[in-house]
Structures are given as C-alpha cells and as structure tokens.
C-alpha cells in the first residue's frame, strides 16, 4: 500500500504536469524568455536574450548544425569550431591512409595552410526562426480530409519558403511541432568550405571504445576541430584556395575554471528525435517487441564481427566503423528497455490515459474531439504491429549481409530497367557498372570476408525466420518445409553457397550477359525479391496510411493534453532544430550501493590503461605528461586535469558536439553522450537517473596544447580564468 501511493505520486508528478519537472525539456531559443526566470533560479547569470536575439549577436550565432546530425560551436573569430571526435570521424577517416593514418595517430594543422578540405561536409547556421503556424494553417479547416489538409499545408509552406529566400542566399525550411499543432520557419546560412584542423589519436578521441560507450564514469577525449571558410564578403562559397576564414557574429569564450557539482549548465544544440507523447500502446511495442528484436539481431551480428576483429588488425580496420554504429544503437536500446521497465513506463502511460479519458469525457464538445482517441490509438497500433515488425526485420536483419545488399542493387537494376523501359544495350551498360562495383568487393580479401558475411546472413536470417517469417510469411515457410525438411539454417546456408553473388566468377558470368529471368531464379535473389516485394509493395503502403492516421490522432491528443494542462509550458519533441536544455552538474546513484561522482580526471585514464586491449591503450606522451604533472593552466584547484563531467541537461542523439556552457554563457564542455541508465529519456525522462556526459573543456585544451603542441589554436581562442 505504501509502495502504491509512492508510485501514484510519481505518476502524477510525471504525467499530470507532463513536463517541466526538474530538468526535463529541450526549449526553443525563440521562446526562451518563458524559461528565463527558472534558468536564473537554477543559477544562470545571463538573460534569454543573450542566448537568442535576432537583432543583435547572441550565443546562437556561435552554434551550428555540424554535417547532418551533430552540433558544433565557434571558438574563435576565424571560424574555428569544436565538435566531437565521433562526429568528425568520417572526415578524419577520409583523409587517412595506411601511410598517413590520422585516425590512429591524430592530425594537427600547425598553420592554416595545413588544414584539409572536407568535401561534402556542411555547416548550417541559424539566421532567424519564426512562428509561422497561422500562415501554414491558412485555409485548413477541421472538415478537410487528412490528404486535403496535407496538400493545403504543402502549398502554404512552399510560398513561405520562397518569400523567405527569394532575395538572399539563405536556405529555409519549415518544421512541424507538437505533431502539426505549430510550425516554425528556420532561415539558415549553409557553409560548404569546411576544413579539418585537428583530431586527437583514436586512443584519446575514442578511448574506451564501445565498452565505455553510453557509460559513466567516462574518459573519452571525444573532440575534433574544424574551420569554416567563406568568400571575401564573408558569405558561403564552395571550396576555393582564395576563401578566407569565416568571421562569425559570435564565438564562445572558454572558462578554464570549469564547473563543479551543483553549478548551472546549459546545452545549446541540435537534438534529433524524442517521443515524449507516445501512448502506452506505442511504448509497449518499443519496450517489449521492437527494441528486443533489434537487440537480438544486433547481438548476433556483433558476435560474428567481434570475433573477426580479434583475428587480425586488418579485419579490425575493415569492420571497426560499421561495428561502432551497430554497437551504438544496440547498447542504447538495451539501456532504453531497462529504463522503461524500471520506470514502469507503460503502466504510467496507461494511468495517464485514464486521466485523459476522464477529462475528455466531461463535456460533449471534448467528447466529440477527444473522447475516442485512446481507443483509436489502440486499434491502429494493433493493426500496425506485424507490419511494423516486417519492416523492422527488413532493415535490421534481411538487409544486413553484403550478400543481400548486393542482391538489393541487382534487383533495383531490374526494377530500373522495367520502370525506365531500358533497351537491352542500356541495361547491359548498367550491369557493367555493377560488375565494376562487385570487382572491388571480391578483390578485398574476399575469402575471409565470405565466411564472416555468410555467418551474418545465416544467423540474422534464421532469427528473422524463427521470430517472424515462420508465422507471417507463407512463401518462406513452404520453401523451408518442402525443400529443407523444416530446417531454416540449411536453407540459408544453401542460398549463400549457391548464389552467383558469392562467387566472383559466377557474378561476372551472370552480369556480363544480363538476363533478368536468369537472375531472378538465383536462390538469393529469389528469396530477397520475395521478401522485398511483400514489404515494399504490400506492407509499406499500408504502414504509410496507418502512420499518417496515427499522426493525425497525435495532433489531437497533444492538443488535448495541452488544453487539459493549460498554463503549463510544454516543450516540443526534438526534431533536429536548435534547442536549449538546462540543468546542474549533478551526481547520481545508478543502483543499490553505488554512488557516481560528477567528474572524472586523467588519473582514471591511467587506471583503465591496458596495453592488451585495443580500446584501452594509452599514448606514451600522455603518460609522461601525467607522470610529470605537466598540466600547464589546465589543472583544477586540486592539481588534476578533469576529463569529463555529468549534468542533468536533457539531451539526445544530435546533441553530440553541443557546447556545454556555464552560468555566464562561457564554454566549459562539449556534450558527447548520455548515461546508460538514462537512455529512455527519449521517451520518458527520469530526473533521478538522466544525465548528459560532457568532455571537460580543460582536457580538450590540455590535449591541444600540451599533448599536440598546437599552441597556434590555443592562441586563437579567448580564455577566461
Ligand atoms: N553514444 C554516443 C552517441 O550516441 C557516441 C557514439 C560513438 N562512439 C562509439 N564508441 N561508438 O553518438
Ligand atoms: N552520442 C550522441 C550523439 O551523437 C549523443 C548521445 C545521446 O544520444 O544523447 O548525438
């Protein structure tokens, strides 16, 4: 009884106000004045206007979307920017060769002429944002069908964007908030001449690797440095050696005193996706079906790859980047399931939905709009369930071996030739291109790779079969039963060995004389096109219709929740737009008998050192600096170099590289991760357990200055002590 009442109180505090408890929330910079007093109460000494101001330079001018999914910040008036090592990773790899392995050894430009252009990398700066809800919803009546509604909105959006960009070089986009209850216009300046300036060696930038990933205490020096270039008018321009360093309207000053337990901090960046309004049905699907399925498939893939990577350095290099991505999602979902479970997320949602239904049925007006919502959600989610899984398995399992990926490109070749009515000659030309691609695939140590890829294929397809296809996909079930005595693994083994796609000679033979009929009878292509046809032609169109219905339910549901809690300040779910999260440097207790402190120091790197384990090798130079306590100005008052710290800022994927600022808006850290216990915060936030993990700016500068000797970069920055 006592327990129950505790749970009830909790449920109310989380759901009745729904949000803005403790440190939850990712706030729109334009509307930050509403949060100002709360932020100041928590310790902020600057104003909302210092953070976002359209007419004067403000901190927002120092923050950028880095590439398509990370954040970065300017730290000099010459366009120098900081982001994470894992955000710069692709560009560091692209500049690395066996002879000049910048990924392993690090890279430091000692002057601007040594900086390396990064083709394809862009930097997006927000010029201004505007609430355009009324303009977007002009002419939208409740009587319109969903499709009519979408069309009116599309037309309106087109007009607004043209208006915002027709007389300037800006790029604009409009994004829906609260499931289309609100719309904001974002006008951006996009720079494409971006150059790599510095990156620590892997065993600093990725220290602890996937073992430490998503975990506290952490010792990863997860940063890299770039510079934005512009034309002589300080405007965006494609790469040119005549371009000059961009002068931002604002850059961040660096506070070398750092922050301590209890201090105010805020994170300014581009969080990607959160789903705080999901109903109990959706959370149940994620916690009990979707995440577990993803985890199971990825566990089997990781087992195969990890074994391979331990066999040779060449194998490690070949699979490392892919494995980092697989492992990142895998580990996050494990944490998410645990967190949802621990919080009783589904039960809490059900409890809230009961309250919502009571509220929704008080007046006839409400009843007409909101009365049936929860029931409708339930119906649609149960209708979507197996289709959702079919799509999930296609992406997570079926398409994860190279056999199937290569098969997929051959099938699209056939699709293309049908769609575009290609002549035989034209089709052969396309097939010749495919041969070229496959050539490098087979050239690259294929025999070793084949064993690994075959294991991936057989293992993942077997999970797909046992957990889904056997009961949902008659075609495969019959195949396995009739030709392979019900043994799916034997079937998949047969498919791999007998497909032309697993033999260089056979591939060339089949593609040199491209004949769709022959190709479609290949066992791998036959299997894939059966799955592909069913998912793409049947499932996805169905799913699109259901999802659009679900979305329109959420539009009403969220409107209802806001009406029900009028007077509350709601934050919209993350959607890769600029947000401010704020909180305090704060310890936590992950489990019984364990307390976590707020900071780690360089000492912990030495404690974790293990020359036998790839991810825990420590550079000699770093050990030497540690031994001699040669810390320069980067030590704290106790004479240690802080490496990372945790705080209660509400962040998610996309916030990587975000500036973490102190009460005065000075840079004290770079956000790079969340703690494992808090990864369910994309769905439900727990003030007790949710922490963001930041690189302490003192460790970052210590590495640049003392380890790399790149004093040229330090001299560009403005340091306050
Ligand atoms: N967990 C962090 C994020 O979600 C870091 C990922 C990169 N690091 C890694 N060891 N895989 O992006
Ligand atoms: N590492 C994540 C990123 O790349 C940030 C961690 C999180 O999901 O909060 O954005």
């Amino acid at each position: 009884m006592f327990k129950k009442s505790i749970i009830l109180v909790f449920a109310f505090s989380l759901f009745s106000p729904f949000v803005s408890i403790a440190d939850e929330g990712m706030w729109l910079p334009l509307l930050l004045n509403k949060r100002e007093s709360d932020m100041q109460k928590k310790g902020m000494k600057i104003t909302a206007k210092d953070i976002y101001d359209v007419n004067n330079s403000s901190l927002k001018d120092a923050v950028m979307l880095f590439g398509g999914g990370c954040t970065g910040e300017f730290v000099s008036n010459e366009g120098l920017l900081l982001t994470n090592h894992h955000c710069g990773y692709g560009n560091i790899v692209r500049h690395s060769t066996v002879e000049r392995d910048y990924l392993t050894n690090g890279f430091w430009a000692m002057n601007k002429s040594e900086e390396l252009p990064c083709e394809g990398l862009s930097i997006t700066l927000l010029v201004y944002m505007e609430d355009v809800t009324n303009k977007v919803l002009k002419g939208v009546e409740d009587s319109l069908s969903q499709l009519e509604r979408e069309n009116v909105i599309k037309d309106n959006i087109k007009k607004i964007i043209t208006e915002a960009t027709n007389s300037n070089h800006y790029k604009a986009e409009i994004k829906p908030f609260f499931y289309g209850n609100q719309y904001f216009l974002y006008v951006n300046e996009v720079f494409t001449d971006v150059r790599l300036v510095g990156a620590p060696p892997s065993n600093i930038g990725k220290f602890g690797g996937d073992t430490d990933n998503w975990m506290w205490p952490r010792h990863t020096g997860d940063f890299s440095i770039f510079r934005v270039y512009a034309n002589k008018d300080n405007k965006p321009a494609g790469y040119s050696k005549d371009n000059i360093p961009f002068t931002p309207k604002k850059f961040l000053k660096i506070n070398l005193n750092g922050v301590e337990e209890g201090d105010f901090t805020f994170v300014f960046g581009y969080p990607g996706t959160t789903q705080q309004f999901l109903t109990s049905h959706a959370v149940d699907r994620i916690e009990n079906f979707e995440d577990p399925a993803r985890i199971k498939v990825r566990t089997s893939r990781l087992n195969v790859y990890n074994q391979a990577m331990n066999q040779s350095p060449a194998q490690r290099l070949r699979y490392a980047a892919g494995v980092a991505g697989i492992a990142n999602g895998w580990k996050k979902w494990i944490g998410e399931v645990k967190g949802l479970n621990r919080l009783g997320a589904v039960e809490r949602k059900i409890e809230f939905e009961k309250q919502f239904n009571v509220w929704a049925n008080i007046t006839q007006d409400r009843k007409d709009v909101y009365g049936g919502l929860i029931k409708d959600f339930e119906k649609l989610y149960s209708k979507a369930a197996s289709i959702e899984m079919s799509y999930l398995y296609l992406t997570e399992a079926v398409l994860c071996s190279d056999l199937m990926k290569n098969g997929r490109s051959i099938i699209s070749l056939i699709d293309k030739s049908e769609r575009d009515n290609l002549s035989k000659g034209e089709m052969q030309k396309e097939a010749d291109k495919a041969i070229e691609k496959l050539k490098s695939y087979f050239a690259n140590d294929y025999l070793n790779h084949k064993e690994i890829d075959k294991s991936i294929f057989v293992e993942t397809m077997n999970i797909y079969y046992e957990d889904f296809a056997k009961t949902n996909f008659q075609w495969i079930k019959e195949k396995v039963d009739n030709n392979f005595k019900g043994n799916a693994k034997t079937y998949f083994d047969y498919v791999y060995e007998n497909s032309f796609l697993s033999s260089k000679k056979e591939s060339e033979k089949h593609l040199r004389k491209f004949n769709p009929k022959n190709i479609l009878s290949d066992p791998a292509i036959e299997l894939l096109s059966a799955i592909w046809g069913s998912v793409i032609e049947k499932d996805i169109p169905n799913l699109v219709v259901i999802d659009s219905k679900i979305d329109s339910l959420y539009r009403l549901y969220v409107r209802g929740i806001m009406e029900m809690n009028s007077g509350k300040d709601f934050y919209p779910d993350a959607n890769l737009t600029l947000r401010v999260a704020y909180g305090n440097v704060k310890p936590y207790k992950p489990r019984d008998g364990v307390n976590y402190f707020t900071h780690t120091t360089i000492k912990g790197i030495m404690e974790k050192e293990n020359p036998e384990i790839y991810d825990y090798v420590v550079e000699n130079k770093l050990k030497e600096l540690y031994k001699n306590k040669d810390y320069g100005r980067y030590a704290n008052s106790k004479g240690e170099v802080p490496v990372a710290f945790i705080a209660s800022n509400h962040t998610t994927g996309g916030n990587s590289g975000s500036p973490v600022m102190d009460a005065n808006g000075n840079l004290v850290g770079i956000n790079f991760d969340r703690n494992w216990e808090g990864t369910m915060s994309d769905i439900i936030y727990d003030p007790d357990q949710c922490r963001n993990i930041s690189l302490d700016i003192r460790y970052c500068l210590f590495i640049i200055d003392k380890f790399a000797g790149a004093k040229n970069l330090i001299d560009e920055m403005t340091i306050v002590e």
Side-chain angles (χ1 to χ4, degrees), residues 616-681:
Y616 294 97
V617 174
V618 178
E619 293 278 323
N620 285 332
K621 177 89 187 274
L622 193 59
K623 285 195 264 190
E624 216 170 277
L625 291 165
Y626 173 71
K627 208 175 83 200
N628 300 328
K629 302 280 170 279
D630 186 2
Y631 297 154
R633 61 213 281 211
Y634 308 109
N636 62 17
S637 55
K638 287 181 232 149
E640 317 154 320
V641 178
V643 172
F645 64 91
I646 48 173
S648 58
N649 304 291
H650 188 187
T651 54
T652 187
N655 268 126
S656 272
S658 298
V660 184
M661 288 180 266
D662 67 8
N664 295 309
N666 292 324
L667 188 66
V668 288
I670 306 174
N671 186 74
F672 72 96
D673 214 353
R674 258 179 299 165
N675 63 331
W676 214 25
E677 297 80 6
T679 44
M680 70 297 171
S681 67

Side-chain angles (χ1 to χ4, degrees), residues 344-416:
V346 175
E347 293 72 23
R348 288 188 190 198
K349 291 275 179 181
I350 290 173
E351 192 52 44
F352 174 73
E353 284 153 17
K354 278 189 201 148
Q355 296 170 28
F356 181 84
N357 270 339
V358 170
W359 172 87
N361 284 289
I362 287 176
T363 65
Q364 189 59 40
D365 278 2
R366 278 189 206 161
K367 205 169 172 170
D368 291 344
V369 187
Y370 306 117
L373 278 180
I374 302 294
K375 270 260 146 351
D376 289 346
F377 272 120
E378 189 183 338
K379 271 188 241 152
L380 284 174
Y381 273 118
S382 81
K383 216 168 142 187
S386 90
I387 313 181
E388 193 74 63
M389 292 311 278
S390 158
Y391 181 63
L392 183 151
Y393 279 116
L394 176 75
T395 52
E396 278 292 324
V398 176
L399 286 177
C400 67
S401 62
D402 285 339
L403 180 81
M404 289 283 116
K405 280 188 211 142
N406 291 337
R408 178 61 216 127
S409 18
I410 305 293
I411 291 178
S412 41
L413 209 93
I414 297 177
D415 287 351
K416 186 180 152 107

